[in-house]
Amino acid sequence: MSKWDKLLNKICSLSSDVRFNELKKILESYGYTMYAPSGGSSHYTFRKTGRNPITIPKHEPIKKVYVRMVKEIIENEEEMS
């Protein structure tokens, strides 16, 4: 199993040890662009044309609610392919 497949499985199983950079890698691979916060915030917004933006705080560990949001994006992108 490749590193990519392991990462997808980790997110789809809603693992509690997912890192911000792993979510960033997944979202960017699906065409999302990361926008850094302004004014000292720790919340990064990922945007893609035609999709709702997703905002994820850069805190470790990532809360499960954000992992679930990325999992839904993965599932929606797979359906569209």
Side-chain angles (χ1 to χ4, degrees):
M1 184 180 286
S2 70
K3 285 183 180 183
W4 179 254
D5 291 335
K6 288 180 183 178
L7 179 56
L8 286 176
N9 285 337
K10 185 177 181 180
I11 290 171
C12 289
S13 68
L14 301 176
S15 177
S16 61
D17 65 340
V18 176
R19 301 277 175 211
F20 178 84
N21 286 337
E22 293 172 326
L23 294 182
K24 177 183 175 221
K25 183 177 182 180
I26 291 287
L27 290 169
E28 287 179 341
S29 75
Y30 284 112
Y32 284 79
T33 304
M34 184 177 80
Y35 292 89
S38 60
S41 175
S42 63
H43 289 66
Y44 289 76
T45 302
F46 294 87
R47 297 181 188 277
K48 181 178 178 180
T49 305
R51 302 280 185 209
N52 290 331
I54 178 173
T55 301
I56 301 174
K58 190 173 184 180
H59 299 291
E60 305 291 344
I62 298 293
K63 291 184 179 179
K64 194 173 272 191
V65 65
Y66 301 108
V67 178
R68 187 174 290 122
M69 289 169 30
V70 174
K71 178 185 177 195
E72 289 174 11
I73 288 171
I74 292 169
E75 291 170 348
N76 289 336
E77 293 291 334
E78 294 299 320
E79 287 176 7
M80 300 294 280
S81 300

